[in-house]
PDB file of all heavy atoms in Angstrom:
ATOM      1  N   PRO A 156     138.242 103.429-138.999  1.00 63.00           N
ATOM      2  CA  PRO A 156     139.584 103.040-139.431  1.00 63.00           C
ATOM      3  C   PRO A 156     140.437 102.424-138.333  1.00 63.00           C
ATOM      4  O   PRO A 156     141.421 101.759-138.620  1.00 63.00           O
ATOM      5  CB  PRO A 156     140.206 104.357-139.896  1.00 63.00           C
ATOM      6  CG  PRO A 156     139.068 105.290-140.129  1.00 63.00           C
ATOM      7  CD  PRO A 156     137.996 104.861-139.164  1.00 63.00           C
ATOM      8  N   ALA A 157     140.061 102.637-137.071  1.00 69.00           N
ATOM      9  CA  ALA A 157     140.896 102.123-135.991  1.00 69.00           C
ATOM     10  C   ALA A 157     140.245 100.954-135.263  1.00 69.00           C
ATOM     11  O   ALA A 157     140.540 100.702-134.099  1.00 69.00           O
ATOM     12  CB  ALA A 157     141.221 103.240-135.003  1.00 69.00           C
ATOM     13  N   ILE A 158     139.388 100.218-135.943  1.00 69.00           N
ATOM     14  CA  ILE A 158     138.731  99.117-135.222  1.00 69.00           C
ATOM     15  C   ILE A 158     139.692  98.008-134.869  1.00 69.00           C
ATOM     16  O   ILE A 158     139.342  97.109-134.121  1.00 69.00           O
ATOM     17  CB  ILE A 158     137.528  98.484-135.972  1.00 69.00           C
ATOM     18  CG1 ILE A 158     137.901  98.121-137.386  1.00 69.00           C
ATOM     19  CG2 ILE A 158     136.325  99.347-135.912  1.00 69.00           C
ATOM     20  CD1 ILE A 158     136.755  97.399-138.062  1.00 69.00           C
ATOM     21  N   HIS A 159     140.883  98.048-135.391  1.00 70.00           N
ATOM     22  CA  HIS A 159     141.834  97.019-134.996  1.00 70.00           C
ATOM     23  C   HIS A 159     142.574  97.401-133.707  1.00 70.00           C
ATOM     24  O   HIS A 159     143.450  96.691-133.271  1.00 70.00           O
ATOM     25  CB  HIS A 159     142.820  96.746-136.128  1.00 70.00           C
ATOM     26  CG  HIS A 159     143.565  97.956-136.612  1.00 70.00           C
ATOM     27  ND1 HIS A 159     142.949  99.015-137.230  1.00 70.00           N
ATOM     28  CD2 HIS A 159     144.871  98.274-136.542  1.00 70.00           C
ATOM     29  CE1 HIS A 159     143.855  99.933-137.530  1.00 70.00           C
ATOM     30  NE2 HIS A 159     145.023  99.517-137.122  1.00 70.00           N
ATOM     31  N   ARG A 160     142.204  98.523-133.111  1.00 76.00           N
ATOM     32  CA  ARG A 160     142.807  98.940-131.831  1.00 76.00           C
ATOM     33  C   ARG A 160     141.769  98.871-130.729  1.00 76.00           C
ATOM     34  O   ARG A 160     140.652  99.342-130.917  1.00 76.00           O
ATOM     35  CB  ARG A 160     143.289 100.398-131.929  1.00 76.00           C
ATOM     36  CG  ARG A 160     144.346 100.618-132.963  1.00 76.00           C
ATOM     37  CD  ARG A 160     145.710 100.457-132.363  1.00 76.00           C
ATOM     38  NE  ARG A 160     146.704 100.378-133.433  1.00 76.00           N
ATOM     39  CZ  ARG A 160     147.773  99.611-133.365  1.00 76.00           C
ATOM     40  NH1 ARG A 160     147.998  98.869-132.316  1.00 76.00           N
ATOM     41  NH2 ARG A 160     148.627  99.597-134.357  1.00 76.00           N
ATOM     42  N   ASN A 161     142.129  98.389-129.560  1.00 79.00           N
ATOM     43  CA  ASN A 161     141.175  98.416-128.451  1.00 79.00           C
ATOM     44  C   ASN A 161     141.478  99.602-127.538  1.00 79.00           C
ATOM     45  O   ASN A 161     142.452 100.323-127.720  1.00 79.00           O
ATOM     46  CB  ASN A 161     141.163  97.094-127.687  1.00 79.00           C
ATOM     47  CG  ASN A 161     142.496  96.821-127.020  1.00 79.00           C
ATOM     48  OD1 ASN A 161     143.302  97.730-126.823  1.00 79.00           O
ATOM     49  ND2 ASN A 161     142.728  95.575-126.674  1.00 79.00           N
ATOM     50  N   ARG A 162     140.609  99.802-126.540  1.00 85.00           N
ATOM     51  CA  ARG A 162     140.702 101.028-125.743  1.00 85.00           C
ATOM     52  C   ARG A 162     142.020 101.110-124.951  1.00 85.00           C
ATOM     53  O   ARG A 162     142.546 102.198-124.760  1.00 85.00           O
ATOM     54  CB  ARG A 162     139.490 101.169-124.828  1.00 85.00           C
ATOM     55  CG  ARG A 162     139.311 100.052-123.822  1.00 85.00           C
ATOM     56  CD  ARG A 162     138.152 100.347-122.909  1.00 85.00           C
ATOM     57  NE  ARG A 162     136.864 100.032-123.546  1.00 85.00           N
ATOM     58  CZ  ARG A 162     135.693 100.312-122.992  1.00 85.00           C
ATOM     59  NH1 ARG A 162     135.645 100.928-121.829  1.00 85.00           N
ATOM     60  NH2 ARG A 162     134.574  99.995-123.582  1.00 85.00           N
ATOM     61  N   ALA A 163     142.531  99.976-124.512  1.00 86.00           N
ATOM     62  CA  ALA A 163     143.780 100.013-123.742  1.00 86.00           C
ATOM     63  C   ALA A 163     144.927 100.510-124.629  1.00 86.00           C
ATOM     64  O   ALA A 163     145.775 101.293-124.192  1.00 86.00           O
ATOM     65  CB  ALA A 163     144.086  98.634-123.182  1.00 86.00           C
ATOM     66  N   GLU A 164     144.916 100.061-125.858  1.00 86.00           N
ATOM     67  CA  GLU A 164     145.966 100.503-126.775  1.00 86.00           C
ATOM     68  C   GLU A 164     145.863 102.010-127.031  1.00 86.00           C
ATOM     69  O   GLU A 164     146.865 102.717-127.107  1.00 86.00           O
ATOM     70  CB  GLU A 164     145.846  99.752-128.112  1.00 86.00           C
ATOM     71  CG  GLU A 164     146.197  98.278-128.032  1.00 86.00           C
ATOM     72  CD  GLU A 164     145.920  97.558-129.348  1.00 86.00           C
ATOM     73  OE1 GLU A 164     144.738  97.416-129.728  1.00 86.00           O
ATOM     74  OE2 GLU A 164     146.892  97.156-130.010  1.00 86.00           O
ATOM     75  N   ILE A 165     144.620 102.483-127.166  1.00 87.00           N
ATOM     76  CA  ILE A 165     144.419 103.906-127.448  1.00 87.00           C
ATOM     77  C   ILE A 165     144.798 104.745-126.221  1.00 87.00           C
ATOM     78  O   ILE A 165     145.416 105.801-126.340  1.00 87.00           O
ATOM     79  CB  ILE A 165     142.963 104.161-127.889  1.00 87.00           C
ATOM     80  CG1 ILE A 165     142.684 103.381-129.180  1.00 87.00           C
ATOM     81  CG2 ILE A 165     142.704 105.646-128.092  1.00 87.00           C
ATOM     82  CD1 ILE A 165     141.222 103.259-129.547  1.00 87.00           C
ATOM     83  N   GLN A 166     144.451 104.230-125.033  1.00 91.00           N
ATOM     84  CA  GLN A 166     144.817 104.912-123.793  1.00 91.00           C
ATOM     85  C   GLN A 166     146.346 105.096-123.721  1.00 91.00           C
ATOM     86  O   GLN A 166     146.846 106.195-123.485  1.00 91.00           O
ATOM     87  CB  GLN A 166     144.334 104.071-122.604  1.00 91.00           C
ATOM     88  CG  GLN A 166     144.791 104.587-121.245  1.00 91.00           C
ATOM     89  CD  GLN A 166     144.568 103.527-120.153  1.00 91.00           C
ATOM     90  OE1 GLN A 166     144.420 102.339-120.441  1.00 91.00           O
ATOM     91  NE2 GLN A 166     144.528 103.990-118.909  1.00 91.00           N
ATOM     92  N   ALA A 167     147.072 104.031-123.959  1.00 90.00           N
ATOM     93  CA  ALA A 167     148.529 104.105-123.896  1.00 90.00           C
ATOM     94  C   ALA A 167     149.059 105.092-124.928  1.00 90.00           C
ATOM     95  O   ALA A 167     149.949 105.903-124.658  1.00 90.00           O
ATOM     96  CB  ALA A 167     149.124 102.719-124.130  1.00 90.00           C
ATOM     97  N   LEU A 168     148.470 105.043-126.109  1.00 90.00           N
ATOM     98  CA  LEU A 168     148.916 105.902-127.208  1.00 90.00           C
ATOM     99  C   LEU A 168     148.708 107.382-126.871  1.00 90.00           C
ATOM    100  O   LEU A 168     149.614 108.207-127.013  1.00 90.00           O
ATOM    101  CB  LEU A 168     148.131 105.522-128.470  1.00 90.00           C
ATOM    102  CG  LEU A 168     148.437 106.300-129.727  1.00 90.00           C
ATOM    103  CD1 LEU A 168     149.810 105.910-130.251  1.00 90.00           C
ATOM    104  CD2 LEU A 168     147.371 106.023-130.786  1.00 90.00           C
ATOM    105  N   PHE A 169     147.506 107.724-126.405  1.00 90.00           N
ATOM    106  CA  PHE A 169     147.201 109.122-126.105  1.00 90.00           C
ATOM    107  C   PHE A 169     148.035 109.626-124.931  1.00 90.00           C
ATOM    108  O   PHE A 169     148.511 110.754-124.938  1.00 90.00           O
ATOM    109  CB  PHE A 169     145.700 109.297-125.807  1.00 90.00           C
ATOM    110  CG  PHE A 169     144.846 109.393-127.040  1.00 90.00           C
ATOM    111  CD1 PHE A 169     145.350 109.047-128.289  1.00 90.00           C
ATOM    112  CD2 PHE A 169     143.532 109.853-126.960  1.00 90.00           C
ATOM    113  CE1 PHE A 169     144.566 109.136-129.434  1.00 90.00           C
ATOM    114  CE2 PHE A 169     142.732 109.953-128.101  1.00 90.00           C
ATOM    115  CZ  PHE A 169     143.250 109.588-129.324  1.00 90.00           C
ATOM    116  N   ASN A 170     148.201 108.791-123.907  1.00 92.00           N
ATOM    117  CA  ASN A 170     149.011 109.210-122.763  1.00 92.00           C
ATOM    118  C   ASN A 170     150.439 109.513-123.192  1.00 92.00           C
ATOM    119  O   ASN A 170     151.075 110.430-122.689  1.00 92.00           O
ATOM    120  CB  ASN A 170     148.980 108.151-121.666  1.00 92.00           C
ATOM    121  CG  ASN A 170     147.745 108.297-120.794  1.00 92.00           C
ATOM    122  OD1 ASN A 170     147.246 109.410-120.584  1.00 92.00           O
ATOM    123  ND2 ASN A 170     147.218 107.188-120.297  1.00 92.00           N
ATOM    124  N   ALA A 171     150.931 108.760-124.155  1.00 90.00           N
ATOM    125  CA  ALA A 171     152.309 108.965-124.597  1.00 90.00           C
ATOM    126  C   ALA A 171     152.438 110.100-125.601  1.00 90.00           C
ATOM    127  O   ALA A 171     153.412 110.840-125.594  1.00 90.00           O
ATOM    128  CB  ALA A 171     152.842 107.667-125.195  1.00 90.00           C
ATOM    129  N   GLU A 172     151.442 110.267-126.469  1.00 90.00           N
ATOM    130  CA  GLU A 172     151.637 111.141-127.622  1.00 90.00           C
ATOM    131  C   GLU A 172     150.973 112.516-127.541  1.00 90.00           C
ATOM    132  O   GLU A 172     151.429 113.457-128.194  1.00 90.00           O
ATOM    133  CB  GLU A 172     151.134 110.444-128.901  1.00 90.00           C
ATOM    134  CG  GLU A 172     151.840 109.135-129.232  1.00 90.00           C
ATOM    135  CD  GLU A 172     153.233 109.356-129.813  1.00 90.00           C
ATOM    136  OE1 GLU A 172     153.449 110.421-130.429  1.00 90.00           O
ATOM    137  OE2 GLU A 172     154.084 108.469-129.629  1.00 90.00           O
ATOM    138  N   LEU A 173     149.880 112.650-126.802  1.00 91.00           N
ATOM    139  CA  LEU A 173     149.198 113.941-126.798  1.00 91.00           C
ATOM    140  C   LEU A 173     149.836 114.872-125.774  1.00 91.00           C
ATOM    141  O   LEU A 173     150.001 114.509-124.621  1.00 91.00           O
ATOM    142  CB  LEU A 173     147.702 113.775-126.504  1.00 91.00           C
ATOM    143  CG  LEU A 173     146.865 113.078-127.573  1.00 91.00           C
ATOM    144  CD1 LEU A 173     145.381 113.090-127.179  1.00 91.00           C
ATOM    145  CD2 LEU A 173     147.032 113.723-128.944  1.00 91.00           C
ATOM    146  N   PRO A 174     150.195 116.080-126.215  1.00 88.00           N
ATOM    147  CA  PRO A 174     150.857 117.011-125.309  1.00 88.00           C
ATOM    148  C   PRO A 174     149.997 117.284-124.074  1.00 88.00           C
ATOM    149  O   PRO A 174     148.794 117.506-124.196  1.00 88.00           O
ATOM    150  CB  PRO A 174     151.027 118.289-126.146  1.00 88.00           C
ATOM    151  CG  PRO A 174     150.443 118.028-127.482  1.00 88.00           C
ATOM    152  CD  PRO A 174     150.007 116.611-127.566  1.00 88.00           C
ATOM    153  N   GLY A 175     150.619 117.231-122.888  1.00 87.00           N
ATOM    154  CA  GLY A 175     149.902 117.561-121.653  1.00 87.00           C
ATOM    155  C   GLY A 175     149.105 116.413-121.064  1.00 87.00           C
ATOM    156  O   GLY A 175     148.563 116.528-119.984  1.00 87.00           O
ATOM    157  N   GLU A 176     148.989 115.280-121.780  1.00 90.00           N
ATOM    158  CA  GLU A 176     148.240 114.153-121.230  1.00 90.00           C
ATOM    159  C   GLU A 176     149.213 113.169-120.569  1.00 90.00           C
ATOM    160  O   GLU A 176     150.418 113.297-120.700  1.00 90.00           O
ATOM    161  CB  GLU A 176     147.440 113.437-122.325  1.00 90.00           C
ATOM    162  CG  GLU A 176     146.514 114.340-123.132  1.00 90.00           C
ATOM    163  CD  GLU A 176     145.372 114.968-122.312  1.00 90.00           C
ATOM    164  OE1 GLU A 176     145.148 114.545-121.164  1.00 90.00           O
ATOM    165  OE2 GLU A 176     144.718 115.901-122.837  1.00 90.00           O
ATOM    166  N   GLY A 177     148.702 112.167-119.885  1.00 89.00           N
ATOM    167  CA  GLY A 177     149.549 111.198-119.219  1.00 89.00           C
ATOM    168  C   GLY A 177     148.737 110.381-118.239  1.00 89.00           C
ATOM    169  O   GLY A 177     149.051 109.246-117.934  1.00 89.00           O
ATOM    170  N   GLY A 178     147.628 110.969-117.744  1.00 90.00           N
ATOM    171  CA  GLY A 178     146.835 110.264-116.748  1.00 90.00           C
ATOM    172  C   GLY A 178     145.464 109.863-117.236  1.00 90.00           C
ATOM    173  O   GLY A 178     144.526 109.731-116.446  1.00 90.00           O
ATOM    174  N   LEU A 179     145.312 109.643-118.539  1.00 92.00           N
ATOM    175  CA  LEU A 179     143.989 109.312-119.076  1.00 92.00           C
ATOM    176  C   LEU A 179     143.589 107.889-118.703  1.00 92.00           C
ATOM    177  O   LEU A 179     144.420 106.979-118.691  1.00 92.00           O
ATOM    178  CB  LEU A 179     143.999 109.427-120.603  1.00 92.00           C
ATOM    179  CG  LEU A 179     144.156 110.824-121.190  1.00 92.00           C
ATOM    180  CD1 LEU A 179     144.418 110.736-122.690  1.00 92.00           C
ATOM    181  CD2 LEU A 179     142.907 111.654-120.920  1.00 92.00           C
ATOM    182  N   SER A 180     142.293 107.721-118.416  1.00 91.00           N
ATOM    183  CA  SER A 180     141.772 106.361-118.194  1.00 91.00           C
ATOM    184  C   SER A 180     141.492 105.723-119.551  1.00 91.00           C
ATOM    185  O   SER A 180     141.682 106.350-120.588  1.00 91.00           O
ATOM    186  CB  SER A 180     140.480 106.424-117.388  1.00 91.00           C
ATOM    187  OG  SER A 180     139.414 106.813-118.246  1.00 91.00           O
ATOM    188  N   ASP A 181     140.996 104.484-119.541  1.00 89.00           N
ATOM    189  CA  ASP A 181     140.687 103.851-120.823  1.00 89.00           C
ATOM    190  C   ASP A 181     139.220 104.034-121.194  1.00 89.00           C
ATOM    191  O   ASP A 181     138.720 103.399-122.111  1.00 89.00           O
ATOM    192  CB  ASP A 181     141.072 102.363-120.811  1.00 89.00           C
ATOM    193  CG  ASP A 181     140.163 101.537-119.910  1.00 89.00           C
ATOM    194  OD1 ASP A 181     139.349 102.136-119.159  1.00 89.00           O
ATOM    195  OD2 ASP A 181     140.264 100.302-119.950  1.00 89.00           O
ATOM    196  N   ASN A 182     138.523 104.938-120.500  1.00 89.00           N
ATOM    197  CA  ASN A 182     137.137 105.242-120.808  1.00 89.00           C
ATOM    198  C   ASN A 182     137.065 105.991-122.152  1.00 89.00           C
ATOM    199  O   ASN A 182     137.688 107.041-122.307  1.00 89.00           O
ATOM    200  CB  ASN A 182     136.600 106.106-119.655  1.00 89.00           C
ATOM    201  CG  ASN A 182     135.165 106.517-119.868  1.00 89.00           C
ATOM    202  OD1 ASN A 182     134.663 106.475-120.990  1.00 89.00           O
ATOM    203  ND2 ASN A 182     134.513 106.908-118.784  1.00 89.00           N
ATOM    204  N   PRO A 183     136.297 105.485-123.122  1.00 87.00           N
ATOM    205  CA  PRO A 183     136.222 106.147-124.425  1.00 87.00           C
ATOM    206  C   PRO A 183     135.843 107.628-124.325  1.00 87.00           C
ATOM    207  O   PRO A 183     136.317 108.464-125.103  1.00 87.00           O
ATOM    208  CB  PRO A 183     135.142 105.354-125.164  1.00 87.00           C
ATOM    209  CG  PRO A 183     135.201 103.992-124.569  1.00 87.00           C
ATOM    210  CD  PRO A 183     135.560 104.207-123.125  1.00 87.00           C
ATOM    211  N   GLN A 184     134.986 107.965-123.346  1.00 87.00           N
ATOM    212  CA  GLN A 184     134.594 109.352-123.118  1.00 87.00           C
ATOM    213  C   GLN A 184     135.826 110.222-122.825  1.00 87.00           C
ATOM    214  O   GLN A 184     135.997 111.295-123.401  1.00 87.00           O
ATOM    215  CB  GLN A 184     133.638 109.386-121.912  1.00 87.00           C
ATOM    216  CG  GLN A 184     132.785 110.609-121.796  1.00 87.00           C
ATOM    217  CD  GLN A 184     131.478 110.448-122.566  1.00 87.00           C
ATOM    218  OE1 GLN A 184     130.870 109.389-122.534  1.00 87.00           O
ATOM    219  NE2 GLN A 184     131.073 111.498-123.263  1.00 87.00           N
ATOM    220  N   ASP A 185     136.671 109.747-121.927  1.00 88.00           N
ATOM    221  CA  ASP A 185     137.898 110.456-121.554  1.00 88.00           C
ATOM    222  C   ASP A 185     138.842 110.574-122.728  1.00 88.00           C
ATOM    223  O   ASP A 185     139.477 111.608-122.947  1.00 88.00           O
ATOM    224  CB  ASP A 185     138.649 109.661-120.481  1.00 88.00           C
ATOM    225  CG  ASP A 185     138.219 110.057-119.095  1.00 88.00           C
ATOM    226  OD1 ASP A 185     137.130 110.671-118.985  1.00 88.00           O
ATOM    227  OD2 ASP A 185     138.960 109.754-118.149  1.00 88.00           O
ATOM    228  N   LEU A 186     138.936 109.490-123.476  1.00 88.00           N
ATOM    229  CA  LEU A 186     139.872 109.478-124.597  1.00 88.00           C
ATOM    230  C   LEU A 186     139.418 110.453-125.676  1.00 88.00           C
ATOM    231  O   LEU A 186     140.222 111.191-126.253  1.00 88.00           O
ATOM    232  CB  LEU A 186     140.001 108.055-125.162  1.00 88.00           C
ATOM    233  CG  LEU A 186     140.594 107.035-124.171  1.00 88.00           C
ATOM    234  CD1 LEU A 186     140.463 105.618-124.704  1.00 88.00           C
ATOM    235  CD2 LEU A 186     142.056 107.365-123.856  1.00 88.00           C
ATOM    236  N   ALA A 187     138.093 110.487-125.918  1.00 87.00           N
ATOM    237  CA  ALA A 187     137.570 111.427-126.908  1.00 87.00           C
ATOM    238  C   ALA A 187     137.760 112.863-126.434  1.00 87.00           C
ATOM    239  O   ALA A 187     138.082 113.762-127.218  1.00 87.00           O
ATOM    240  CB  ALA A 187     136.097 111.134-127.187  1.00 87.00           C
ATOM    241  N   ALA A 188     137.586 113.084-125.120  1.00 88.00           N
ATOM    242  CA  ALA A 188     137.761 114.436-124.578  1.00 88.00           C
ATOM    243  C   ALA A 188     139.203 114.903-124.742  1.00 88.00           C
ATOM    244  O   ALA A 188     139.461 116.075-125.010  1.00 88.00           O
ATOM    245  CB  ALA A 188     137.350 114.459-123.103  1.00 88.00           C
ATOM    246  N   ALA A 189     140.151 113.986-124.602  1.00 89.00           N
ATOM    247  CA  ALA A 189     141.555 114.359-124.778  1.00 89.00           C
ATOM    248  C   ALA A 189     141.812 114.784-126.215  1.00 89.00           C
ATOM    249  O   ALA A 189     142.521 115.763-126.479  1.00 89.00           O
ATOM    250  CB  ALA A 189     142.452 113.174-124.400  1.00 89.00           C
ATOM    251  N   ALA A 190     141.195 114.070-127.151  1.00 87.00           N
ATOM    252  CA  ALA A 190     141.348 114.442-128.558  1.00 87.00           C
ATOM    253  C   ALA A 190     140.733 115.810-128.811  1.00 87.00           C
ATOM    254  O   ALA A 190     141.265 116.623-129.562  1.00 87.00           O
ATOM    255  CB  ALA A 190     140.692 113.384-129.444  1.00 87.00           C
ATOM    256  N   ARG A 191     139.594 116.073-128.157  1.00 88.00           N
ATOM    257  CA  ARG A 191     138.947 117.373-128.325  1.00 88.00           C
ATOM    258  C   ARG A 191     139.867 118.498-127.853  1.00 88.00           C
ATOM    259  O   ARG A 191     140.043 119.497-128.535  1.00 88.00           O
ATOM    260  CB  ARG A 191     137.627 117.394-127.543  1.00 88.00           C
ATOM    261  CG  ARG A 191     136.886 118.735-127.625  1.00 88.00           C
ATOM    262  CD  ARG A 191     135.622 118.732-126.770  1.00 88.00           C
ATOM    263  NE  ARG A 191     135.008 120.056-126.690  1.00 88.00           N
ATOM    264  CZ  ARG A 191     133.873 120.386-127.312  1.00 88.00           C
ATOM    265  NH1 ARG A 191     133.248 119.522-128.057  1.00 88.00           N
ATOM    266  NH2 ARG A 191     133.378 121.596-127.186  1.00 88.00           N
ATOM    267  N   ARG A 192     140.467 118.314-126.685  1.00 89.00           N
ATOM    268  CA  ARG A 192     141.362 119.348-126.152  1.00 89.00           C
ATOM    269  C   ARG A 192     142.521 119.607-127.116  1.00 89.00           C
ATOM    270  O   ARG A 192     142.865 120.737-127.421  1.00 89.00           O
ATOM    271  CB  ARG A 192     141.939 118.908-124.795  1.00 89.00           C
ATOM    272  CG  ARG A 192     140.977 119.058-123.640  1.00 89.00           C
ATOM    273  CD  ARG A 192     141.687 118.870-122.308  1.00 89.00           C
ATOM    274  NE  ARG A 192     142.163 117.506-122.091  1.00 89.00           N
ATOM    275  CZ  ARG A 192     141.398 116.525-121.601  1.00 89.00           C
ATOM    276  NH1 ARG A 192     140.143 116.751-121.279  1.00 89.00           N
ATOM    277  NH2 ARG A 192     141.893 115.312-121.415  1.00 89.00           N
TER     278      ARG A 192
END
Side-chain angles (χ1 to χ4, degrees):
Chain A
I158 51 175
H159 56 295
R160 298 269 168 216
N161 64 19
R162 61 176 80 186
E164 291 174 292
I165 298 166
Q166 173 194 19
L168 180 71
F169 279 14
N170 277 328
E172 300 284 332
L173 292 184
E176 306 295 348
L179 292 169
S180 78
D181 70 351
N182 179 341
Q184 199 89 41
D185 270 18
L186 296 170
R191 178 183 172 108
R192 282 191 293 276

